[in-house]
């Protein structure tokens, strides 16, 4: 059985810190000095609000965090051994924590199926390569399904990764029915006793209903084979689009019952604060973060590591 939610370690913390260096440098590094005293002045609260908004924490998450900080710093029963910054960290970790109800239970000899969706160019195919590398390292056998039959060279891009990572792939010529590719891949995965089937899909705008229907069809094909599949639907979001990505995300989550987010390109942006509104407004956990362009540039999203990374001094 696959364990895609393995507990984080030091390497994961390092990847997380690396990915957040721009966000930290531009915004979050201004925070620790504000919290060097037992409480903040009104001007300091305003500054905190400005910093959070600039880092794309979003209005409602920012207001929520600030209210929490105000009330806990002035709480008469406050534990005085706790510093102000520790209180802030606790609040931030709480707002990112998620009561996770993963599907990762036994699939009894059937592949663990992960369907990867999202709009064009967000990093779906690259993220699939990263997941394939991660699971391979964990000793799982992986099969890639080239479900993007739309874009020219999409299956070549995936084939290139399959070769590089030494994992199997099922593909068909450009223009084929993606449902047929998914069907073939599932059958191949069962026949070859594959542990994890990773399905790539064509990038699509969330407002194109025929394309969204196609995703629903792919899901149906999988469910016909295994009523618990797909076990995860991972929505890939590009962190560099910051808060703008949230609206598209909402319609994807409605159509596909997204189970988790892969947030890519965190290394290329100072808008890392966007994980707060993603968690609170979409109500879907961030599972993985993309920290660069190679297959190793992936980290499990861990709220505590994330908060340590943005606030470490
Ligand atoms: N810096 C950085 N670049 C990334 C990351 N993830 C993906 N990219 C880059 O983003 C670009 C698009 O990646 P793809 O994986 O092709 O995106 P896609 O969503 O499959 O694109 P379409 O299939 O065309 O919709 C590539 O240049 C990737 O190298 C990341 O975490 N960090
Ligand atoms: Mg792609």
């Amino acid at each position: 059985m696959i364990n895609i939610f393995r507990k984080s370690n030091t390497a994961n913390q390092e990847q997380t810190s690396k990915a957040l260096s721009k966000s930290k440098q531009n915004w979050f590094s201004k925070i620790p000095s504000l919290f060097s005293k037992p409480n903040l002045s009104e001007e300091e609260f305003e500054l905190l609000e400005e910093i959070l908004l600039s880092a794309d924490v979003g209005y409602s998450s920012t207001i929520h965090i600030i209210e929490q900080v105000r009330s806990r710093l002035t709480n008469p029963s406050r534990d005085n051994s706790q510093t102000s910054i520790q209180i802030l960290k606790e609040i931030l970790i709480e707002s990112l924590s998620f009561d996770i109800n993963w599907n990762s239970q036994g699939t009894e000899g059937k592949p663990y199926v992960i369907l990867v969706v999202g709009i064009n160019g967000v990093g779906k195919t690259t993220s699939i390569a990263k997941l394939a590398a991660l699971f391979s390292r964990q000793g799982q056998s992986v099969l890639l399904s080239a479900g993007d039959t739309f874009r020219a060279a999409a299956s070549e891009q995936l084939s290139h990764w399959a070769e590089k990572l030494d994992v199997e792939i099922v593909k068909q010529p450009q223009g084929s029915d993606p449902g047929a590719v998914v069907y073939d891949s599932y059958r191949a995965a069962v026949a070859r006793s594959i542990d994890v089937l990773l399905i790539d899909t064509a990038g699509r705008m969330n407002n194109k209903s025929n394309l969204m229907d196609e995703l629903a069809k792919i899901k149906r094909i999988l469910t016909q084979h295994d009523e618990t599949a797909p076990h995860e639907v991972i929505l890939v979001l590009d962190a560099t689009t910051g808060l703008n990505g949230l609206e598209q995300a909402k319609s994807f989550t409605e159509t596909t019952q997204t189970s988790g987010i892969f947030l890519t390109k965190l290394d290329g942006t100072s808008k890392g604060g966007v994980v707060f509104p993603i968690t609170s407004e979409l109500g879907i956990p961030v599972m993985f973060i993309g920290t660069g362009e190679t297959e190793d540039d992936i980290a499990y999203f861990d709220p505590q590591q994330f908060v340590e990374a943005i606030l470490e001094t």
Side-chain angles (χ1 to χ4, degrees):
M1 189 215 307
I2 112 161
N3 179 9
I4 74 171
F5 314 108
R6 196 145 79 169
K7 218 156 171 45
S8 314
N9 53 21
T10 324
N12 205 71
Q13 174 80 69
E14 281 164 12
Q15 281 282 338
T16 306
S17 299
K18 185 188 87 175
L20 286 162
S21 68
K22 286 199 175 125
S23 300
K24 186 181 164 192
Q25 194 183 339
N26 287 333
W27 310 117
F28 292 107
S29 59
K30 301 181 169 109
I31 292 181
S33 65
L34 292 178
F35 282 78
S36 57
K37 306 179 271 72
N39 205 348
L40 276 69
S41 68
E42 263 328 293
E43 293 82 68
E44 287 168 331
F45 270 114
E46 270 169 35
L47 191 54
L48 176 64
E49 183 175 323
E50 242 176 78
I51 295 168
L52 295 176
L53 290 175
S54 308
D56 267 20
V57 171
Y59 188 71
S60 56
S61 297
T62 296
I63 297 302
H64 172 78
I65 290 165
I66 287 184
E67 276 172 3
Q68 290 282 314
V69 173
R70 269 186 203 281
S71 87
R72 289 203 219 170
L73 288 183
T74 55
N75 185 343
S77 56
R78 172 177 167 183
D79 170 4
N80 283 323
S81 69
Q82 239 193 350
T83 61
S84 311
I85 192 81
Q86 282 169 337
I87 291 177
L88 173 68
K89 284 183 183 175
E90 218 172 72
I91 292 168
L92 296 180
I93 292 168
E94 276 167 24
S95 18
L96 293 175
S97 297
F98 216 91
D99 216 7
I100 295 167
N101 188 11
W102 305 119
N103 294 320
S104 59
Q105 290 313 308
T107 49
E108 289 166 18
K110 291 185 176 153
Y112 191 82
V113 182
I114 302 177
L115 179 65
V116 177
V117 303
I119 68 162
N120 307 73
V122 287
K124 295 176 295 299
T125 307
T126 311
S127 300
I128 284 179
K130 293 174 181 182
L131 291 170
L134 183 74
F135 299 144
S136 295
R137 275 199 300 276
Q138 294 175 0
Q140 313 281 342
S141 56
V142 175
L143 189 142
L144 306 181
S145 172
D148 180 357
T149 56
F150 180 73
R151 184 167 64 77
S155 75
E156 283 78 0
Q157 186 190 359
L158 199 67
S159 296
H160 166 81
W161 279 117
E163 207 170 304
K164 182 161 190 222
L165 304 173
D166 195 21
V167 299
E168 299 186 54
I169 180 168
V170 168
K171 58 183 177 177
Q172 282 185 14
Q174 188 192 351
S176 310
D177 172 13
V181 180
V182 169
Y183 177 81
D184 275 4
S185 328
Y186 186 87
R187 300 272 306 245
V190 172
R192 302 176 202 172
S193 302
I194 293 287
D195 298 313
V196 188
L197 172 61
L198 283 163
I199 303 174
D200 195 14
T201 59
R204 65 200 69 221
M205 289 311 291
N206 51 297
N207 53 7
K208 292 275 191 315
S209 64
N210 55 332
L211 292 178
M212 293 307 265
D213 289 347
E214 188 181 276
L215 280 185
K217 183 181 157 198
I218 289 175
K219 279 192 74 175
R220 275 200 305 279
I221 290 169
L222 291 164
T223 310
Q224 278 162 16
H225 287 81
D226 174 355
E227 60 189 21
T228 62
H231 302 92
E232 308 292 342
V233 178
I234 296 190
L235 172 65
V236 179
L237 291 180
D238 176 344
T240 62
T241 62
L243 286 167
N244 296 331
L246 271 182
E247 278 312 307
Q248 324 146 357
K250 281 180 188 158
S251 51
F252 267 102
T253 55
E254 280 159 21
T255 313
T256 62
Q257 288 91 41
T258 308
S259 53
I261 306 286
F262 194 131
L263 187 64
T264 59
K265 311 186 196 181
L266 257 187
D267 55 298
T269 180
S270 57
K271 298 174 175 179
V274 75
V275 295
F276 290 93
I278 288 177
T279 311
S280 65
E281 289 177 36
L282 293 182
I284 294 170
V286 177
M287 283 179 176
F288 297 99
I289 55 179
T291 63
E293 294 189 88
T294 80
E295 68 268 28
D296 297 327
D297 293 324
I298 176 173
Y300 290 94
F301 177 74
D302 177 302
Q304 185 161 1
Q305 292 191 337
F306 186 93
V307 170
E308 288 299 338
I310 53 175
L311 295 181
E312 73 192 349
T313 46

